[in-house]
Amino acid sequence: MKQSKHPGQGKEKTMQVVFAACACISIIAIFLICIFLFANGLPGMAKIGFGKFLGGTVWRPANNLYGILPMIVASIEVTIGALIIGIVIGVLTAIFLAFFCPKKLYAVLKPGINLLAGIPSVVYGFFGLMVVVPMIRNTAGGAGLSMLAACIILGIMILPTIITMSETALRAVPTSYYEGSLGLGATHERSIFRVVVPAAKSGIFAGIILGVGRAIGETMAVIMIAGNQAVMPHSLFAGVRTMTANIVLEMGYATDLHRQALIATAVVLFVFILIINICFSIFKNKGDNH
Amino acid sequence: MKTSNVEISNQTPHGKGEAKVLKALVWAAGIITMAVLLVIVLTVLINGLPHIKPSLFSIHYNTKNVSLFPAMINTLTMVGLSLLFAAPIGIFSAVYLAEYAKRGSKFVAFIRLTSETLTGIPSIIFGIFGMLMFVDACHMGYSMLAGALTLALMILPVIMRATEEALHAVPDSYREGSFGLGAGKLRTIFKIVLPAATPGILAGVILGVGRVVGETAALIYTAGTVAQIPKNIMGSGRTLAVHMYSLWTEGMNVDQSYATAVVLLVVVIILNLISDLIAKKVNKANQ
């Protein structure tokens, strides 16, 4: 009781309000982002026509044609391609790290994966230009700047996300599962793949969804290697332009409706991200309850 | 009984073969991951190192020396400015979540949801938001300040999360001891809990620094792409990552762009080493 009459009481109360106010800033930020994006993007979208904007296959700002379907399709296809690479290598690497990796190798590999997560996307783009693009050019012909190049680089970029999340999920599975399976006569490998991995399913899915978000939102690396042609993607070896690339490439000189159309592209991307985020929290909660 | 016996005896040889294949697969994946990292680092070094010359570090940028020195200074400014906003707000938010809020309250769940959503938003969306809000609506123009405010929002959840985890890791006995000696809650937080949580908080801050250093998409349309050191924070200036991208798009000085990649990579490696060191310290302290 004495404490409540302490002279510092006013300060205590003030600081508690300051702390609470700071905690509210992330809420305010999300609201502001939503308001600014929708308020600036939706009018443009309405002017163009929602159907024409989302379903139009021709993007030609000079002729007032703003169809972003090619970009939406490109973003989705590039993401799927990246996922195929990222999931296969990522989940297997996570299993390797959690159950097979010798301690000395682990001490090198784990910081290596953290480094992979920290490399800036422009540097990934540069690596793509130097290694992946020439490789595709030499084997398949063409410019090499292609959807395939984007898939490979994005697949590498989402590796650390998938590996880290999956490893955490795998390690969280109680050892009794593994031991029980061993006791029933299964091999080390079989116990891991048939018992531990299925038990860690939710956490692994959460990591994959986080990877989807990273892949669909990645901008700089994609701009440098995907070719950026704003046409319907028709082949793995053809150039494509994603939604993110569309925004950065043209925002610098766009005015009026063109600019609004680009902001509207950001709105579409934002809606994709929100859906991905909702999926992520569903899977994450499932994993936590588990 | 009989059937299950048969099954087990059938399974053993089959299981061994399967085990070998699975083992080979996971080893292959681990090796591929390691190899990819090595190839990236080597590619950057081999292509970039030959282009690192003293003229790259001239004080002023001009088309002849294509100096990256202004970009380095701008990167430092950007790191400092964005931390100036994000660090106190992030740490204070975490203090509220860990020390004041009731566990499981709806408000806390909502804050957590929004900060998780912030984490998932791609940098280009932050860039467009920063352009609409800070550059246009707040009339800041392309400026270091607009860029820093945008990046502060990006790294806020990173710092918040690391700090919250660090605060939770501080044993309750510390707080009880401090209360027992008559200290108030605020004093306990600032004199006992936060100092004990410093390494964990620092790890989060360094993660944030790494994101600022590597960021491009969120800065092009907020801080702009001027290759000089601005007179004040209301001026436009490009950081190293933006510098590298701009040189590449301009297409005139691609070699210098490669050299910039080396500098960026070295900075990122150093930041990673520091955060690893801190993480090891934290782990040791917890043991």
Side-chain angles (χ1 to χ4, degrees):
Chain A
M1 281 312 277
K2 269 241 164 96
Q3 219 182 24
S4 63
K5 279 178 194 154
H6 198 270
Q9 241 251 318
K11 210 166 128 202
E12 293 267 348
K13 270 265 140 50
T14 329
M15 280 313 282
Q16 186 172 352
V17 173
V18 170
F19 291 145
C22 284
C24 290
I25 286 188
S26 56
I27 300 177
I28 297 169
I30 286 284
F31 272 109
L32 282 177
I33 291 174
C34 288
I35 291 168
F36 269 86
L37 279 181
F38 286 111
N40 286 285
L42 289 181
M45 223 190 278
K47 228 181 277 171
I48 298 161
F50 288 95
K52 271 189 189 161
F53 182 69
L54 294 171
T57 54
V58 184
W59 174 270
R60 210 176 292 141
N63 301 7
N64 265 334
L65 288 169
Y66 301 103
I68 63 160
L69 190 62
M71 277 81 108
I72 297 178
V73 173
S75 280
I76 294 174
E77 289 188 359
V78 164
T79 303
I80 293 173
L83 280 180
I84 294 171
I85 298 168
I87 292 175
V88 172
I89 300 178
V91 175
L92 284 174
T93 305
I95 296 172
F96 177 71
L97 283 174
F99 303 111
F100 291 86
C101 190
K103 256 198 173 157
K104 275 189 184 154
L105 185 58
Y106 189 88
V108 185
L109 195 48
K110 188 73 192 174
I113 288 160
N114 288 339
L115 180 60
L116 219 46
I119 293 177
S121 47
V122 269
V123 176
Y124 274 107
F126 165 77
F127 165 72
L129 272 179
M130 295 288 58
V131 177
V132 179
V133 169
M135 220 161 68
I136 295 171
R137 191 189 301 136
N138 294 336
T139 51
L145 299 162
S146 58
M147 180 190 272
L148 182 61
C151 291
I152 294 173
I153 288 298
L154 286 178
I156 296 172
M157 289 182 76
I158 62 173
L159 269 183
T161 311
I162 294 182
I163 293 174
T164 312
M165 291 285 291
S166 305
E167 196 198 340
T168 313
L170 288 168
R171 285 193 190 276
V173 175
T175 42
S176 57
Y177 283 41
Y178 168 75
E179 283 157 4
S181 170
L182 274 191
L184 288 171
T187 57
H188 172 64
E189 287 79 4
R190 195 184 178 85
S191 306
I192 287 164
F193 274 86
R194 298 283 169 90
V195 178
V196 181
V197 173
K201 199 171 54 194
S202 298
I204 295 176
F205 269 125
I208 291 170
I209 292 169
L210 223 56
V212 174
R214 248 202 111 173
I216 207 167
E218 179 47 47
T219 313
M220 306 322 289
V222 174
I223 289 185
M224 293 169 84
I225 55 175
N228 301 326
Q229 289 89 330
V231 290
M232 267 307 199
H234 52 86
S235 134
L236 260 181
F237 303 101
V240 293
R241 178 189 289 195
T242 60
M243 289 187 274
T244 52
N246 194 39
I247 301 166
V248 169
L249 286 168
E250 298 187 3
M251 189 56 93
Y253 59 86
T255 50
D256 305 328
L257 190 60
H258 184 193
R259 186 179 142 104
Q260 285 181 325
L262 293 176
I263 296 169
T265 313
V267 171
V268 176
L269 176 66
F270 188 56
V271 171
F272 270 89
I273 292 290
L274 288 181
I275 295 170
I276 292 167
N277 265 331
I278 292 168
C279 296
F280 171 73
S281 26
I282 291 172
F283 273 106
K284 205 183 140 246
N285 289 338
K286 253 191 183 170
D288 289 349
N289 292 340
H290 193 86
Chain B
M1 273 312 276
K2 224 177 189 178
T3 45
S4 69
N5 268 339
V6 170
E7 252 181 52
I8 287 171
S9 59
N10 276 347
Q11 229 170 41
T12 319
H14 164 74
K16 283 254 165 76
E18 186 195 60
K20 267 192 186 153
V21 174
L22 292 177
K23 200 172 174 183
L25 271 178
V26 294
W27 268 92
I31 290 167
I32 289 173
T33 306
M34 197 72 203
V36 164
L37 177 68
L38 280 180
V39 173
I40 292 174
V41 172
L42 285 178
T43 309
V44 172
L45 291 182
I46 291 170
N47 288 289
L49 274 181
H51 301 297
I52 292 199
K53 294 184 203 119
S55 65
L56 274 182
F57 299 94
S58 317
I59 305 275
H60 294 287
Y61 170 95
N62 57 43
T63 45
K64 238 185 194 164
N65 61 24
V66 203
S67 167
L68 54 76
F69 181 77
M72 279 173 94
I73 299 300
N74 289 342
T75 308
L76 285 178
T77 315
M78 195 56 87
V79 167
L81 264 181
S82 47
L83 282 185
L84 190 70
F85 298 114
I89 295 176
I91 292 170
F92 282 4
S93 312
V95 166
Y96 180 77
L97 291 178
E99 306 290 327
Y100 287 94
K102 288 188 195 89
R103 256 170 225 196
S105 87
K106 284 230 166 97
F107 182 56
V108 172
F110 193 52
I111 292 174
R112 236 175 239 136
L113 181 74
T114 50
S115 83
E116 232 165 56
T117 311
L118 272 183
T119 318
I121 295 178
S123 47
I124 178 63
I125 302 274
F126 277 104
I128 295 300
F129 166 71
M131 179 189 85
L132 293 171
M133 164 133 181
F134 302 122
V135 176
D136 293 350
C138 301
H139 302 292
M140 290 181 193
Y142 286 163
S143 60
M144 297 296 280
L145 183 63
L149 286 168
T150 310
L151 292 190
L153 290 179
M154 266 179 79
I155 61 173
L156 179 66
V158 178
I159 295 177
M160 242 169 102
R161 210 180 142 180
T163 309
E164 205 192 333
E165 273 170 19
L167 290 175
H168 280 310
V170 176
D172 271 339
S173 57
Y174 282 37
R175 298 180 181 88
E176 285 152 10
S178 172
F179 289 145
L181 288 171
K185 186 155 192 175
L186 198 62
R187 204 180 165 84
T188 306
I189 289 170
F190 277 102
K191 297 272 156 135
I192 306 290
V193 182
L194 280 176
T198 305
I201 298 173
L202 222 55
V205 170
I206 290 169
L207 222 61
V209 172
R211 274 197 86 174
V212 174
V213 169
E215 191 45 59
T216 314
L219 285 175
I220 296 179
Y221 297 117
T222 53
T225 52
V226 174
Q228 305 289 0
I229 304 171
K231 282 201 186 72
N232 55 44
I233 56 171
M234 297 315 291
S236 162
R238 64 194 194 198
T239 61
L240 274 175
V242 180
H243 180 71
M244 180 181 169
Y245 174 71
S246 300
L247 288 183
W248 177 78
T249 38
E250 289 156 18
M252 307 283 290
N253 303 298
V254 178
D255 291 347
Q256 284 80 353
S257 159
Y258 299 165
T260 313
V262 176
V263 178
L264 267 177
L265 190 67
V266 170
V267 172
V268 169
I269 290 175
I270 292 172
L271 287 174
N272 265 282
L273 287 178
I274 298 174
S275 87
D276 277 350
L277 272 179
I278 294 174
K280 265 186 199 141
K281 221 177 164 186
V282 174
N283 284 337
K284 250 187 205 159
N286 286 347
Q287 279 162 13

